[in-house]
Amino acid sequence: MTTHTGVTRVLSVVGARPNFMKVAPVARALAARGVEHIVVHTGQHYDPDMSGTFFRDLCLPLPDHNLEVGSASHARQTAEIMVRFEPVCAAAQPDIVLVYGDVNSTVAAALVAVKLGVPVGHVEAGLRSGDRSMPEEINRIVTDHVADSLFAPSRDAVQNLRAEGIPSERVHFVGNVMIDSLVTALPAARALDAPARHGVRKRSYTVVTLHRPANVDNRDTLRELLETLAIMSNGGPVLFPVHPRTKARIEELGLDVSVSRTLRLLDPIPYLEMLSLVAEAELVITDSGGLQEETTWLGVQCVTVRPNTERPITCTVGTNRLAPPRREAIIVAVREARARPAAVPPTVERWDGDAARRIAEVLCDENRFD
Ligand code: UD1
C-alpha cells in the first residue's frame, strides 16, 4: 500500500450538500499546516441553495474544479463523475485524495483515485445501517474497502470496520467533522435568530426534512407523511424546507400540500439559517444523517423517519428515535420525544470540534488516533 505520510498536496472531492460541512473544517486544518489543498466539486448538487450558499456560509473558497455532472441515474451520475474526475486527478498528482460521507460523488472519486494509484482517505468511514436497499450503504461499503486511511467519527464505526476485516492501522478514530463545522458556526447561527425571522417562538416549533427515496418516491408514503405533518402542525408550527427531490415528487404526484396553515413548506435553507432554526427547535423530524448528529450535539429531540440508522449512537444517548414512515408510528415517536425533559446535551466522544485537526495530524505527522 502506498504511504501518505507527510503530505504536501491534498485533493478533496465533494459534490452534494452534506459534503460541504465536512470539507470546510478539513480545509481550515490543512491551511493551518501549510498543506496545498485542491477542492474538486463534482456538481452532483448544483442549485445555488443546495451548493453555493453553503460555500458562502462555511467560508469555503470556490472549488478549484467543477465537473458539472448534474443529476442522472445512479449509474450515469457515478460513471460521469469517474470519467470527468480521472484526468483532473491524474494532472493534479495529489499525495492523497480525500472523499467525504456516502454520496455518489464519494464512491466515484474513491474508485478513480485508487485505480490511479493515489491513496484514498475516507472522512466519515465505518458507518453502517445494515440496509443495503439504501444507495448510501453501498457507497459506504465500497469506499471503505478501497480506502487506505479511514477516518471514523465514532467508536461503533471503528468496530464496524474491524468486523469487516479492515486492518486497524488504516483506521483512525478522529471524531466527527460535521460537528467541527457546527461548533465553528453556532455563534453566527444563533446571532441570526432565524426563529424570529420566521415568526416562531423558540422551543415551540418543529423542523422537518425528508428526501430519502424510500420516503418521498412512493405516492402513498409521501401523502401519509404530509398528512401526518399536517396533523402535527395543529400542535405548533412545522417548518419544512423541501429538498428539490421531494419538491419534484410533490409536484409530479399532484399532491395537495395546502393541508394546513401551520405546516409551512419552504425552499431549501442555507447552513447558518438552518442551524439557527434547529438549535432552537422543540423537535426535529428528519431522514437526514447529518441532522441526527447535529440534534444530538445540540440536545434537541429528533425523530428519524427510517427503519434503521447508520448513526446508532444518536439513539443510544437518548436524543434520537426511529419511526417507519407511518402516521401512527411517527405520532407515537413524537409523543415520546416531547415527553423527554429538556436536558444537558449529551457528550459524545470526540465530537468536540477537533476532528479535522486530528485528520491533519494523521496526514502530516503520522499521528495515530485509536
Ligand atoms: C443525495 C445523496 C444523499 C444525500 C442527499 C443530500 C446519493 C446517492 N444521495 O441525494 O445521500 O443525503 O444528496 O441532499 O448521493 N436536484 C436539484 N438540484 C440540485 C440537486 C438535485 O434539483 O442541486 C434534484 C434533481 O431532480 C435530482 C434529485 O434532486 O434528480 C436528486 O438529487 P441526487 O443528487 O441524485 O440525490 P439526492 O436525493 O439529493
Side-chain angles (χ1 to χ4, degrees):
M1 192 182 58
T2 332
T3 174
H4 57 69
T5 306
V7 300
T8 58
R9 182 183 299 151
V10 173
L11 188 157
S12 283
V13 181
V14 292
R17 186 166 62 174
N19 291 160
F20 309 138
M21 296 76 123
K22 294 168 195 165
V23 74
V26 173
R28 273 193 298 277
L30 292 176
R33 302 294 303 251
V35 174
E36 183 187 354
H37 187 211
I38 300 163
V39 176
V40 176
H41 191 322
T42 65
Q44 178 175 343
H45 285 175
Y46 43 87
D47 284 346
D49 57 11
M50 296 294 286
S51 176
T53 62
F54 285 78
F55 277 73
R56 181 200 66 202
D57 279 9
L58 293 158
C59 302
L60 266 170
L62 289 178
D64 299 280
H65 301 268
N66 193 324
L67 306 180
E68 296 182 344
V69 295
S71 303
S73 70
H74 283 272
R76 191 172 288 279
Q77 185 176 63
T78 307
E80 200 60 52
I81 295 167
M82 291 181 69
V83 169
R84 297 189 191 191
F85 178 53
E86 187 178 46
V88 174
C89 187
Q93 299 194 324
D95 297 317
I96 187 166
V97 166
L98 294 182
V99 295
Y100 300 79
D102 55 15
V103 301
N104 285 347
S105 300
T106 311
V107 68
L111 283 170
V112 168
V114 73
K115 291 194 174 201
L116 286 174
V118 179
V120 173
H122 185 201
V123 178
E124 198 185 85
L127 298 185
R128 296 288 184 272
S129 65
D131 179 354
R132 285 186 175 232
S133 71
M134 287 183 71
E136 292 81 2
E137 184 75 351
I138 307 303
N139 294 345
R140 291 180 198 117
I141 293 168
V142 174
T143 305
D144 283 340
H145 283 263
V146 299
D148 302 279
S149 298
L150 297 102
F151 300 109
S154 50
R155 288 251 178 238
D156 57 282
V158 174
Q159 280 154 14
N160 291 337
L161 295 170
R162 185 176 304 145
E164 290 177 19
I166 291 180
S168 59
E169 61 270 19
R170 292 193 201 171
V171 180
H172 305 275
F173 173 33
V174 294
N176 190 327
V177 287
M178 191 86 138
I179 299 301
D180 288 11
S181 271
L182 186 158
V183 169
T184 304
L186 196 55
R190 287 201 194 280
L192 269 184
D193 197 4
R197 290 181 181 201
H198 285 266
V200 290
R201 274 186 302 108
K202 291 178 182 175
R203 306 283 161 208
S204 76
Y205 61 90
T206 300
V207 176
V208 175
T209 78
L210 295 168
H211 72 284
R212 299 286 169 194
N215 286 335
V216 305
D217 284 2
N218 177 283
R219 183 192 178 102
D220 293 336
T221 305
L222 183 55
R223 181 191 290 114
E224 185 164 346
L225 286 171
L226 289 168
E227 285 171 359
T228 307
L229 297 176
I231 294 167
M232 274 192 56
S233 70
N234 294 327
V238 174
L239 307 185
F240 181 4
V242 183
H243 185 284
R245 177 187 202 102
T246 311
K247 186 175 179 211
R249 295 298 176 270
I250 291 172
E251 285 168 2
E252 270 167 33
L253 300 175
L255 290 176
D256 176 15
V257 291
S258 55
V259 269
S260 155
R261 271 189 309 114
T262 46
L263 170 56
R264 298 191 211 158
L265 273 58
L266 311 168
D267 287 331
I269 291 182
Y271 179 66
L272 287 177
E273 185 180 344
M274 186 67 174
L275 184 53
S276 175
L277 278 179
V278 168
E280 306 294 354
E282 182 197 17
L283 180 69
V284 169
I285 299 179
T286 190
D287 56 13
S288 139
L291 271 171
Q292 295 175 58
E293 297 178 338
E294 289 163 343
T295 49
T296 290
W297 194 91
L298 292 162
V300 171
Q301 291 297 318
C302 180
V303 172
T304 297
V305 184
R306 283 177 45 189
N308 49 57
T309 178
E310 62 289 336
R311 292 159 163 98
I313 198 165
T314 60
C315 295
T316 49
V317 299
T319 49
N320 189 21
R321 71 247 342 113
L322 305 178
R326 298 282 162 260
R327 182 182 306 122
E328 277 317 308
I330 294 171
I331 287 173
V332 167
V334 165
R335 205 176 293 140
E336 199 184 292
R338 285 190 169 140
R340 284 186 80 95
V344 180
T347 305
V348 181
E349 191 180 4
R350 296 190 195 168
W351 289 20
D352 56 3
D354 264 344
R357 181 187 55 76
R358 295 189 187 99
I359 291 173
E361 284 186 20
V362 172
L363 297 179
C364 299
D365 307 333
E366 218 185 336
N367 272 7
R368 283 213 51 80
F369 293 97
D370 295 319

